[in-house]
């Protein structure tokens, strides 16, 4: 296995898949850069796996093209594509040892036994399974089996590795550990990873860029921080973490910049998102940006309400606040060892910083 940068460049152009009159993937255009860790994220049934299967060659597109390093893959059968897939179910050969499982794909290549052995050893070392080459899969844990499945795909040195919910079957703690491992391995080998998941935290933790899909279409593509902080629609805002989405009326630009928005009979200023919008809109704010303070505090972008519910989550506490206008918003407060200052039922003021308040006009 090489350890230099040699990831494939993937381009999807107008890619569509229809099953009868049902459209699973709708004319998608997408580019994944060489060596990128790219995630396809979205709710169940949004078309992630179908896209992956078309890239692998297991599914024929209804329309559109797939290019790998500029070459059209339409007529290339799966086994001739320099693309390998790791599935959620490890699909190891039970009768073969770990070493033979990893060596399996190399048997069809024109390389010497010595070279094969060296590649298998180096790849098992990469996934930290070097001491287990002689074991059978049945004697491995789920996490270890997935490491072997990864090694079996990596040893073939693909231009692109497709991963379909590879950590989906593992418990939460092991999942976190393997996420870190996977990222380390990807950075080391430089292979382009296209990773399918419906777990938004996993996608954010791993990806250089991610793509949020919904009903066969791409809703937003970008680095995790950008997609999380600057969602283009209420769908993306809601899908990625928790967001407060409040119905509002946009009243036009404020003299000092930003957009004047009315929430009930209160006027606020929002400086993010579609600030030129007018009329019915939604304003959105992440819970960690809300500022909860004493009820006497007032001023720009400060509303008032009553704490309805507190949920202790360890590092943070979730606070549900019913605003005087009737809407409930959620604030996330860091727990730094101090007791929560405001018990349930307290009246508080809630600051909605204009810099983080985002006007959304797309659902
Ligand atoms: P999940 O996270 O649940 O795996 P997904 O986003 O990967 O979801 P896909 O497996 O790509 O979703 O499926 C997209 C849609 O296409 C689903 O509604 C699914 O029922 C449908 N679909 C997939 N394969 C077929 C098929 N062979 N025939 C008919 N419909 C299909």
């Amino acid at each position: 296995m090489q350890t230099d940068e040699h990831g494939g460049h993937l381009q999807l152009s107008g890619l569509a898949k229809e099953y009868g009159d049902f459209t699973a993937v709708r004319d998608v255009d997408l580019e994944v850069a060489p060596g990128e860790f790219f995630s396809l994220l979205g709710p169940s049934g949004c078309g992630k796996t179908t896209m992956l299967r078309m890239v692998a060659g297991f599914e024929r597109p209804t329309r559109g093209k797939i290019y790998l390093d500029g070459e059209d893959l339409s007529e290339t059968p799966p086994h001739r594509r320099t693309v390998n897939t790791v599935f959620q179910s490890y699909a190891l050969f039970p009768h073969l040892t770990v070493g033979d499982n990893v060596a399996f794909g190399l048997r069809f290549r024109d390389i010497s036994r010595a070279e094969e052995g060296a590649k298998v050893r180096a790849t098992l070392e990469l996934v930290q399974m070097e001491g287990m080459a002689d074991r059978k899969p049945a004697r491995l844990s789920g996490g270890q089996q997935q490491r072997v499945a990864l090694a079996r795909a990596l040893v073939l040195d693909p231009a692109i590795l497709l991963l379909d919910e590879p950590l989906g079957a593992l418990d939460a703690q092991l999942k976190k550990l393997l996420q870190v491992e996977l990222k380390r391995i990807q950075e080391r080998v430089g292979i382009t990873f296209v990773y399918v998941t419906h777990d938004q935290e996993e996608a954010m933790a791993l990806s250089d860029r991610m793509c949020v899909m919904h009903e066969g279409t791409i809703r937003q593509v970008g680095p995790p921080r950008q997609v999380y902080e600057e969602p283009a629609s209420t769908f993306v805002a809601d899908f990625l973490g928790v967001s407060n989405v409040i119905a509002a009326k946009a009243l036009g630009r404020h003299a000092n910049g930003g957009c004047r928005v009315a929430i009930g009979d209160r006027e606020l200023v929002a400086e993010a998102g579609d600030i030129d919008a007018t009329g019915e809109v939604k304003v959105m704010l992440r819970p960690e940006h809300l500022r909860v303070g004493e009820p006497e505090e007032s001023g720009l972008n400060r509303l008032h309400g009553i704490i309805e519910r507190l949920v202790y989550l360890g590092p943070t506490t979730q606070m549900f606040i019913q605003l005087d206008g009737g809407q409930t918003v959620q604030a996330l407060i860091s727990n730094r060892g101090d007791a929560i200052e405001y018990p349930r039922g307290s009246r508080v003021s809630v600051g909605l910083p204009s810099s983080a308040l985002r006007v959304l006009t797309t659902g």
Side-chain angles (χ1 to χ4, degrees):
M1 181 176 9
Q2 297 166 248
T3 52
D4 54 333
E5 291 271 322
H6 62 300
H9 178 202
L10 180 69
Q11 289 164 289
L12 311 182
S13 170
L15 193 67
K17 180 71 191 177
E18 290 165 4
Y19 296 106
D21 55 7
F22 177 77
T23 306
V25 176
R26 288 168 200 271
D27 307 301
V28 162
D29 293 313
L30 184 66
E31 190 160 351
V32 181
E36 203 169 20
F37 198 126
F38 190 90
S39 295
L40 300 174
L41 177 70
S44 182
C46 71
K48 312 179 289 288
T49 299
T50 306
M51 287 231 309
L52 213 63
R53 289 175 58 79
M54 288 193 279
V55 175
F58 304 142
E59 206 77 68
R60 216 177 163 79
T62 308
R63 281 186 303 283
K65 298 273 187 212
I66 300 166
Y67 299 95
L68 177 54
D69 294 328
E71 188 192 329
D72 180 358
L73 291 184
S74 304
E75 301 308 321
T76 312
H79 66 280
R80 295 216 163 270
R81 299 185 183 194
T82 48
V83 171
N84 286 100
T85 310
V86 176
F87 300 97
Q88 181 176 332
S89 60
Y90 323 116
L92 299 177
F93 299 116
H95 58 289
L96 296 183
T97 62
V98 163
D100 287 340
N101 262 283
V102 176
F104 188 79
L106 293 173
R107 297 277 149 86
F108 305 98
R109 300 214 171 156
D110 189 19
I111 58 171
S112 69
R113 276 285 183 169
E115 204 182 331
E116 178 187 300
K119 269 179 182 283
V120 169
R121 272 193 302 281
T123 313
L124 283 177
E125 200 176 315
L126 183 68
V127 300
Q128 300 187 332
M129 288 291 289
E130 61 271 32
M132 306 212 184
D134 297 326
R135 281 214 196 164
K136 292 277 177 64
R139 289 185 52 221
L140 300 176
S141 69
Q144 289 169 332
Q145 290 188 51
Q146 195 54 295
R147 285 169 194 265
V148 178
L150 187 63
R152 193 176 55 175
L154 286 171
V155 80
L156 299 171
D157 210 14
I160 297 187
L161 190 65
L162 307 175
L163 302 103
D164 194 355
E165 306 248 6
L167 308 182
L170 305 174
D171 69 56
Q173 217 171 350
L174 191 55
K175 205 168 170 172
K176 289 252 153 46
L177 184 75
L178 274 181
Q179 281 174 6
V180 176
E181 280 285 290
L182 210 52
K183 185 76 181 160
R184 175 188 67 80
I185 290 168
Q186 193 269 341
E187 282 170 0
R188 180 137 166 237
V189 297
I191 293 171
T192 308
F193 274 30
V194 181
Y195 193 92
V196 161
T197 180
H198 61 260
D199 179 337
Q200 19 107 4
E201 267 188 41
E202 184 164 292
M204 287 201 269
L206 289 171
S207 316
D208 295 315
R209 284 190 312 144
M210 59 193 209
C211 157
V212 180
M213 292 184 65
H214 180 47
E215 294 179 345
T217 59
I218 290 180
R219 299 298 302 266
Q220 196 165 350
V221 181
R225 180 184 286 269
Q226 189 189 80
V227 181
Y228 180 80
E229 299 281 350
E230 300 167 23
S233 59
T234 51
F235 174 81
V236 174
D238 274 336
F239 189 74
L240 272 196
V242 179
S243 61
N244 292 299
V245 177
I246 307 169
K249 191 169 268 178
L251 305 171
R253 291 298 286 261
H254 188 268
N256 299 333
C259 176
R260 293 163 50 223
V261 289
I263 298 179
D265 59 359
R266 297 296 310 273
E267 191 175 312
L268 294 82
V269 175
E271 290 174 359
D274 301 329
I275 54 174
D276 289 316
T278 50
E280 302 298 324
V281 295
K282 297 276 197 280
V283 289
M284 172 259 165
L285 190 72
R286 294 286 182 199
E288 59 272 27
H289 289 305
L290 261 70
R291 297 283 167 261
V292 178
E294 297 296 330
E296 303 75 54
E297 286 184 52
S298 60
L300 185 72
N301 280 31
R302 197 160 271 278
L303 305 176
H304 292 84
I306 303 262
I307 298 179
E308 254 181 358
R309 199 151 55 92
L310 293 162
V311 182
Y312 177 72
L313 299 172
T316 55
T317 294
Q318 254 177 325
M319 207 182 251
F320 294 83
I321 302 159
Q322 182 169 32
L323 299 175
D324 290 348
Q327 310 93 338
T328 297
V329 290
Q330 215 185 111
L332 200 62
I333 316 291
S334 281
N335 292 332
R336 298 202 175 88
D338 326 342
I340 286 285
E341 288 174 62
Y342 304 103
R344 183 176 178 172
S346 325
R347 186 158 176 79
V348 289
S349 66
V350 185
L352 284 63
S354 51
S355 57
L357 194 61
R358 204 171 170 75
V359 181
L360 294 175
T361 50
T362 309

